[in-house]
Amino acid sequence: DEAANVPAAQKSGWTSFLKSLASFSGDLSGLTAPPFILSPTSLSEFPSYWGEPKDLFTSIADGKTPEDRQLRVTKWFLSTLSGQFTRREKETGSEKKPLNPFLGEQFLGSWDNGELVLTVEQVSHHPPITAYHLENKKRGIVFEGNCAQKTSFSARMISVKQVGHGILRVKLAYLVTLPKLKIEGLWTGKPYVELTETSYIQGSHGLTSTIKYSGAGWVTGTSHSHTTTITTGPGGPTLYTITGTWTGESKFVKPSKEGREGTVFLDAGEEGMREPISVKPVEQQGEYESRRAWKAVADGIRSGDYNAASVAKGALENAERQRRKDELANGQQFQLRLFDLRQNDPEYAHLAALLKFKPEEEDSWILKAQ
Ligand code: HCR
């Protein structure tokens, strides 16, 4: 029985879901999936993974030199990956299909009693694009970005290209590009994520981190592996080489400066290094906040009342469709509440040029002044 992890009553639903995937490319959010694979969490919550290693994030501001800061930014980035890409599989046994945020959906929360604040808004519905802003004002550090996904299906797996970028600002600026992912394990009904190819962190001072991902059956044969180099620029001499897994330990290896070879750079599996975000209780949230807006759907999924979940989801989606129709009829355009669109963002263009990277899109979303 190949689909061993699929509940008996949902096996035929799963098979037709996989068939519909095979003939599909674009945005997965529209596909109806069988209940066992539905997640009660909206994609608008995912930017909280950037803030979970909160101490590593904030300590970027303690970096004394460009090199020291580049190491700290790289360490923070690597430490976010296991939350982003393996958390759900670890906690629930498989990756699941998140709720598709509605236009203007918000996710608001913080760490350290409001010192580190996350603001998220769904800035586009078709295609789905999420904008986020993570800031510790006291320490003068901001990470702001946007993300969208382009999915395609091949060789029994889903390939997800992340579109978008983040810019980290702390004295200088850092462009953070996002890795590609593959969703494997579909046939057995236990989807999980592996990262592939390369992502970069380009500092405005010139230093570049190049993170190469590999999985089981690849170079190292170990899943969730990476080899990261910090160079004086794209293709420049190597200052540090770091290798290991982004879910566990990474070490400095040759060539690395200052006799660091063999020492530990990061243990991403260390307990307590990632703290979940704090959000207001649902009753105190605003009407556009994710957990309030999706409550009935999430409750239905959690309690196994999929009928209630699907009725509530239909109601929300119909109301959204009606809003768009009304806006069209009244000649109005939806106004974002938290972010402003910045087309051809010059800061992004500058950093992308340093990286010698030809971006597909150059739009950014910037948090409105509050
Ligand atoms: C691909 C994915 C939705 C997008 C998720 C992203 C890329 C969102 C931005 C975050 O910063 C990082 C991130 C992590 C997730 O691993 C990734 C999700 C994994 C699965 C999900 C698909 C849309 C679900 C497909 C349905 C399958 C399980 C049948």
Side-chain angles (χ1 to χ4, degrees):
D1 178 8
E2 215 190 2
N5 304 294
V6 181
Q10 296 178 40
K11 280 200 201 290
S12 70
W14 184 241
T15 311
S16 42
F17 175 70
L18 295 179
K19 279 196 187 128
S20 65
L21 275 179
S23 58
F24 168 89
S25 146
D27 142 31
L28 273 184
S29 54
L31 286 184
T32 315
F36 84 95
I37 209 74
L38 300 179
S39 157
T41 306
S42 166
L43 254 191
S44 70
E45 294 203 17
F46 283 43
S48 66
Y49 293 124
W50 294 115
E52 286 188 349
K54 60 184 181 64
D55 297 331
L56 287 181
F57 180 73
T58 303
S59 75
I60 294 169
D62 299 330
K64 301 274 179 301
T65 60
E67 199 174 300
D68 184 14
R69 266 198 307 272
Q70 186 78 17
L71 283 164
R72 288 169 189 258
V73 176
T74 305
K75 189 188 260 194
W76 158 73
F77 174 80
L78 287 172
S79 76
T80 68
L81 298 179
S82 72
Q84 312 239 37
F85 301 108
T86 59
R87 167 79 56 78
R88 296 158 305 280
E89 180 212 339
K90 237 167 129 186
E91 284 179 358
T92 72
S94 93
E95 191 56 74
K96 301 232 151 66
K97 189 170 184 283
L99 296 168
N100 185 29
F102 57 89
L103 184 60
E105 178 171 325
Q106 302 174 355
F107 182 67
L108 311 172
S110 64
W111 291 263
D112 290 341
N113 301 313
E115 216 174 88
L116 178 61
V117 179
L118 177 71
T119 311
V120 178
E121 183 171 28
Q122 187 69 14
V123 294
S124 169
H125 186 66
H126 285 301
I129 306 174
T130 311
Y132 54 85
H133 179 101
L134 177 69
E135 176 162 21
N136 187 324
K137 270 220 166 79
K138 214 161 114 188
R139 307 301 314 275
I141 176 163
V142 176
F143 183 55
E144 189 167 67
N146 58 82
C147 57
Q149 296 85 39
K150 273 193 188 154
T151 44
S152 58
F153 187 83
S154 62
R156 292 164 71 97
M157 61 178 123
I158 302 173
S159 300
V160 182
K161 182 174 172 212
Q162 295 203 74
V163 184
H165 61 272
I167 294 183
L168 184 123
R169 299 186 196 97
V170 47
K171 298 187 187 102
L172 302 170
Y174 299 79
L175 171 64
V176 176
T177 73
L178 307 166
K180 281 192 183 154
L181 45 143
K182 297 186 292 186
I183 302 170
E184 302 184 43
L186 289 170
W187 255 259
T188 60
K190 243 172 135 38
Y192 66 92
V193 171
E194 186 56 277
L195 297 178
T196 60
E197 299 186 29
T198 311
S199 77
Y200 302 92
I201 303 172
Q202 176 63 49
S204 56
H205 45 59
L207 298 184
T208 309
S209 302
T210 303
I211 304 146
K212 287 204 168 110
Y213 303 91
S214 61
W218 287 89
V219 190
T220 66
T222 311
S223 54
H224 310 326
S225 296
H226 76 96
T227 294
T228 297
T229 56
I230 297 181
T231 57
T232 57
T238 302
L239 306 176
Y240 299 100
T241 311
I242 297 152
T243 188
T245 66
W246 45 266
T247 42
E249 208 170 69
S250 296
K251 285 185 169 169
F252 286 102
V253 294
K254 264 191 175 165
S256 283
K257 276 174 73 172
E258 292 167 20
R260 294 214 198 171
E261 285 137 25
T263 65
V264 174
F265 175 65
L266 166 72
D267 181 2
E270 196 182 289
E271 215 165 306
M273 88 148 47
R274 274 173 291 271
E275 188 177 302
I277 194 166
S278 301
V279 298
K280 282 187 190 159
V282 170
E283 316 78 62
Q284 290 170 30
Q285 290 181 10
E287 64 173 307
Y288 307 113
E289 281 188 68
S290 182
R291 290 189 193 171
R292 174 161 160 197
W294 289 104
K295 185 172 186 308
V297 180
D299 286 349
I301 294 174
R302 283 206 186 89
S303 68
D305 189 346
Y306 300 117
N307 195 41
S310 122
V311 170
K313 185 166 170 279
L316 190 150
E317 287 165 352
N318 285 336
E320 281 300 305
R321 269 190 284 273
Q322 191 56 47
R323 277 192 196 110
R324 300 294 92 77
K325 273 191 198 153
D326 294 347
E327 284 162 5
L328 209 63
N330 301 329
Q332 292 167 333
Q333 243 207 327
F334 179 83
Q335 298 295 318
L336 293 173
R337 300 176 186 96
L338 303 175
F339 286 81
D340 286 320
L341 172 63
R342 177 180 294 172
Q343 277 172 319
N344 303 314
D345 178 9
E347 186 179 34
Y348 175 51
H350 170 69
L351 289 164
L354 283 180
L355 186 57
K356 302 185 175 134
F357 166 71
K358 181 92 195 70
E360 242 172 69
E361 40 70 49
E362 287 168 24
D363 291 349
S364 299
W365 282 265
I366 311 291
L367 190 71
K368 288 184 200 280
Q370 286 154 333

